[in-house]
Amino acid sequence: MATSDVGVSEASSPQTTGQKQIVNDLSIQVATVNGSGSQSANTVLLRTIFQMGVPVSGKNLFPSNIAGLPTWYTIRANKNGYIARKKEIDFLIAMNPETAREDVLSLAPGAAVLFDEPLQLDKLRNDLTFYVVPYDKLVAAVCPEAKLRKLVKNMIYVGVAAQLLGLDMQQVEKAIRKQFKKKQKAADLNMNAVKAGYDYAASTLTKSDPYYIEPSNQTQGKIIIDGNAAAALGCMFAGVSVVTWYPITPSSSLVEQLIDYMKRFRIGPDGKATFAIVQAEDELAAVGMVIGAGWAGARSMTSTSGPGISLMAEFAGFGYYTEVPGVIFDVQRVGPSTGLPTRTAQGDVLATAVLSHGDTRHILIFPSTVEECFTLAMDAFDLAEQFQTPVFVLTDLDLGMNNWMSEPFHYPEKPLQRGKVLSKDDLEKLGSFARYKDVDGDGIPYRTLPGTDHPAAAYFTRGSGHNEKAQYSERPDDYQNNLDRLGRKFETARNFVPKPVKVLDGTSDAGIIAYGTTHWAIEESLDQMRNEHKLKADYLRVRAYPFTREVFDFIERHKRIYIVEQNRDAQLLSLLKMELPAAQAAKLRSVLHYNGLPIDARSVTVAISSQEGK
């Protein structure tokens, strides 16, 4: 399968010299096989472009099972800072015989193809630029050990691409040294392979495509990090002390990275860990431990994906009804069932919002950037304790596992928010308290932590019916009063969850609402619609559920609202319709993307402009 959706047009004339150069605006796709060692080579290409000052992003499309199956890595460089997936591929590095033909046939006319000599891809079309490279011959000259050649071979294409695209070889070497760190011998071997590819291209190949990378200064001071690592940092700074998990793609690296961070920064002066990280037997056990730790007063969390969320339903309802804090990260992937474990989606929104049986509503957080993975992770722990409830942070595979450019994160200065926790001194003054009583009218009761040294601190925690004193009760009014209070608490949360981000000029009848990684395609699409169709639209990026007042105001002020999301069933739109009056709900229209690939700007532009009659 090819990862581009572009169809083949009628053949036009081949690329010729003297054409206009396209500088710092291209999408490079490396088509290889899983387990071939291409990740290091692709990372070197990405870092080299980043170090040259050009905005860049990298997206890995990899198989969900064994080595030897197709994998694609796409690097987008763009002088305007667009980092969403680009639908078209401009420069293909074809290394996989199984997909090479389809990869080439999927390209738009004018693209360039760098391929291994035995593949003979240049016979397929005459409207592309082809560069043929004898990889086996070149790698044999620089790598005496035959068993290593399969891995080192990838660095040959780095060198060839560097010469053709104009990459700075000093920056290439810097990226290689960073990639292999203290492994001097490996770094030298791979650098020699890059030089072999570069020299071959310089002496043999004639540049005849328009794509170039030139030094810029747009990445100065910026970092590259993936969303799972950023979220792990945020959890550590949030003061998490109990982490439970069961490995599942694409969330495993969040906890794996957190383990590294905690071992580095959260070991006490006595050499003992100030945290507990437990791999459970399954996701059900993992979330049960989170609730147990949260009940005991620890800041606790787990990380999972869609199948794990399904298993957590009963405990999620237990945490909601007993009012115990905890944080659950859902790095979404394609479902239902096993689905496509290594593809991205936003398909868990509706299910997670009402996860469990009965009347249940959960707080959801939607990061769009790696910086928000860091900051909103901290907010999630505060909200969980302030509202005494499980809080779900919904990212996705694209954000969690791919590399994103970002400003450096700021060291947090805001103190932790523990919410309504009564101390011994508080109880001395009060004399008593009722665990589930709404004292302040906001639906949030007061709680005590186990071990609080006061006879009035004790209460029963039960998932069955109870009254405001935490006593078992099957009285209809006790149950209804409790559910009504939980509803008030959810309404109170509207004033505390992260507010949406608005992009408004106040002159458009059309508005766009999106969330998560869809944001990056929207940013680019807004420019496309304005430049190509003279179409303006206001944009609001939702960051949390329950929806804040700003979301309803945005809908009210526009005649048409496009909800852009990466699922089939318009899940965010469905949540909005549940809360909107009929006249406002009638304004909502869907733009949906659910093929497992990250959404691209062109798809958004086509969908909205066509509905706008452009």
Side-chain angles (χ1 to χ4, degrees):
M1 101 175 222
T3 60
S4 169
D5 300 318
V6 180
V8 180
S9 304
E10 291 296 320
S12 59
S13 59
Q15 293 289 336
T16 58
T17 57
Q19 60 194 312
K20 183 179 179 181
Q21 293 186 4
I22 300 174
V23 179
N24 294 349
D25 185 12
L26 79 157
S27 180
I28 305 168
Q29 184 174 89
V30 184
T32 58
V33 294
N34 197 33
S36 65
S38 60
Q39 182 177 351
S40 294
N42 299 333
T43 302
V44 167
L45 276 175
L46 177 81
R47 285 198 172 276
T48 298
I49 297 171
F50 174 77
Q51 290 163 189
M52 290 179 66
V54 182
V56 67
S57 63
K59 299 189 185 299
N60 191 21
L61 184 65
F62 57 100
S64 59
N65 39 26
I66 61 175
L69 292 180
T71 181
W72 295 266
Y73 189 81
T74 304
I75 298 170
R76 184 176 187 187
N78 184 267
K79 60 189 175 184
N80 296 316
Y82 301 137
I83 54 176
R85 182 178 76 92
K86 184 179 177 183
K87 198 168 189 177
E88 303 83 8
I89 301 300
D90 303 308
F91 196 99
L92 172 67
I93 301 175
M95 301 292 291
N96 183 8
E98 298 297 323
T99 67
R101 179 182 176 86
E102 188 176 356
D103 289 334
V104 169
L105 292 178
S106 71
L107 297 172
V113 181
L114 178 64
F115 70 96
D116 196 1
E117 188 173 45
L119 298 179
Q120 299 182 4
L121 299 178
D122 50 340
K123 294 178 171 54
L124 293 176
R125 295 174 60 175
N126 65 356
D127 58 348
L128 306 174
T129 297
F130 289 95
Y131 301 107
V132 57
V133 179
Y135 287 104
D136 290 336
K137 178 181 177 181
L138 294 175
V139 75
V142 297
C143 184
E145 296 184 50
K147 65 180 181 180
L148 292 179
R149 288 175 187 167
K150 183 180 77 170
L151 304 177
V152 179
K153 182 178 179 178
N154 296 301
M155 288 297 176
I156 299 290
Y157 70 67
V158 173
V160 176
Q163 200 281 327
L164 291 171
L165 297 174
L167 302 185
D168 185 335
M169 283 294 281
Q170 288 186 331
Q171 295 300 336
V172 173
E173 182 165 6
K174 179 180 177 182
I176 286 177
R177 302 295 174 192
K178 181 178 181 63
Q179 182 68 23
F180 294 97
K181 296 180 180 177
K182 298 179 181 180
K183 299 177 181 179
Q184 180 72 33
K185 185 177 179 180
D188 292 342
L189 176 60
N190 282 276
M191 191 62 208
N192 288 338
V194 169
K195 289 177 181 176
Y198 187 95
D199 292 343
Y200 172 82
S203 62
T204 309
L205 302 179
T206 300
K207 173 76 171 177
S208 51
D209 69 85
Y211 300 106
Y212 291 87
I213 298 293
E214 293 183 356
S216 183
N217 61 355
Q218 295 172 272
T219 65
Q220 187 173 1
K222 290 182 169 58
I223 62 172
I224 288 181
I225 190 172
D226 63 81
N228 281 351
L233 270 177
C235 293
M236 183 180 69
F237 278 104
V240 68
S241 57
V242 175
V243 181
T244 65
W245 68 307
Y246 184 78
I248 182 173
T249 302
S251 75
S252 295
S253 63
L254 195 162
V255 177
E256 289 166 350
Q257 189 66 65
L258 181 55
I259 290 170
D260 291 341
Y261 290 147
M262 299 286 265
K263 286 181 176 179
R264 183 177 176 185
F265 298 110
R266 292 280 294 278
I267 302 296
D270 58 358
K272 295 181 179 180
T274 60
F275 59 89
I277 299 179
V278 181
Q279 181 174 328
E281 61 266 33
D282 54 33
E283 291 90 346
L284 184 61
V287 74
M289 294 177 190
V290 167
I291 292 172
W295 174 84
R299 286 202 154 187
S300 58
M301 62 158 285
T302 188
S303 179
T304 189
S305 191
I309 289 293
S310 297
L311 287 175
M312 293 178 182
E314 185 174 0
F315 263 132
F318 179 79
Y320 171 81
Y321 191 55
T322 58
E323 300 179 70
V324 176
V327 174
I328 299 98
F329 283 83
D330 177 10
V331 188
Q332 298 169 94
R333 70 189 207 189
V334 173
S337 188
T338 305
L340 300 175
T342 58
R343 303 292 187 270
T344 194
Q346 294 174 325
D348 300 345
V349 176
L350 190 56
T352 306
V354 294
L355 188 66
S356 198
H357 52 281
D359 292 317
T360 310
R361 284 187 290 177
H362 297 294
I363 295 173
L364 311 181
I365 307 295
F366 304 117
S368 291
T369 69
V370 288
E371 184 175 10
E372 286 186 341
C373 286
F374 175 70
T375 58
L376 296 186
M378 291 180 276
D379 288 344
F381 283 94
D382 282 350
L383 289 166
E385 292 211 277
Q386 286 177 283
F387 289 89
Q388 304 170 28
T389 192
V391 170
F392 293 81
V393 183
L394 272 63
T395 67
D396 59 32
L397 182 146
D398 185 24
L399 181 56
M401 293 192 70
N402 286 326
N403 291 310
W404 296 82
M405 190 175 65
S406 173
E407 296 291 341
F409 304 156
H410 295 291
Y411 193 91
E413 298 179 353
K414 185 177 68 172
L416 304 184
Q417 303 296 317
R418 300 302 306 267
K420 297 181 179 182
V421 178
L422 296 175
S423 66
K424 177 182 178 180
D425 291 340
D426 295 329
L427 292 169
E428 289 287 353
K429 296 174 184 176
L430 294 172
S432 64
F433 91 107
R435 172 66 181 96
Y436 296 112
K437 184 177 182 179
D438 185 1
V439 177
D440 304 316
D442 56 8
I444 308 171
Y446 286 81
R447 64 178 175 137
T448 58
L449 300 179
T452 303
D453 186 17
H454 194 281
Y459 65 90
F460 281 100
T461 302
R462 49 167 55 91
S464 54
H466 49 263
N467 61 20
E468 64 181 20
K469 295 181 179 180
Q471 297 167 333
Y472 179 77
S473 173
E474 294 189 12
R475 292 173 57 90
D477 56 339
D478 283 338
Y479 177 77
Q480 186 168 336
N481 289 338
N482 207 30
L483 264 288
D484 288 344
R485 182 184 56 76
L486 289 169
R488 288 197 301 276
K489 183 168 77 168
F490 190 77
E491 290 300 315
T492 300
R494 295 186 195 277
N495 301 315
F496 290 85
V497 297
K499 294 184 182 298
V501 177
K502 292 181 285 187
V503 179
L504 297 169
D505 62 19
T507 63
S508 177
D509 290 336
I512 299 172
I513 293 178
Y515 58 99
T517 52
T518 306
H519 164 69
W520 300 103
I522 301 290
E523 272 200 331
E524 185 176 354
S525 178
L526 288 169
D527 290 344
Q528 290 178 354
M529 287 188 287
R530 183 175 58 252
N531 296 333
E532 299 170 12
H533 303 289
K534 308 301 180 186
L535 176 62
K536 291 184 178 180
D538 297 331
Y539 170 42
L540 180 138
R541 178 166 63 84
V542 173
R543 298 199 297 163
Y545 175 77
F547 305 118
T548 65
R549 183 68 252 169
E550 289 84 354
V551 177
F552 302 112
D553 290 343
F554 184 86
I555 294 172
E556 188 172 349
R557 69 183 294 176
H558 292 89
K559 294 181 179 179
R560 299 173 304 283
I561 299 289
Y562 295 93
I563 313 296
V564 187
E565 47 188 324
Q566 298 180 66
N567 57 65
R568 184 197 66 183
D569 294 337
Q571 295 185 20
L572 191 78
L573 183 146
S574 298
L575 284 178
L576 284 166
K577 281 188 172 181
M578 289 166 61
E579 301 194 22
L580 287 169
Q584 297 298 315
K587 298 179 179 181
L588 305 184
R589 305 180 181 185
S590 281
V591 174
L592 304 175
H593 177 94
Y594 49 90
N595 64 6
L597 302 178
I599 190 170
D600 62 279
R602 181 57 57 190
S603 294
V604 176
T605 299
V606 170
I608 294 179
S609 61
S610 62
Q611 293 189 59
E612 287 288 299
K614 298 292 185 178

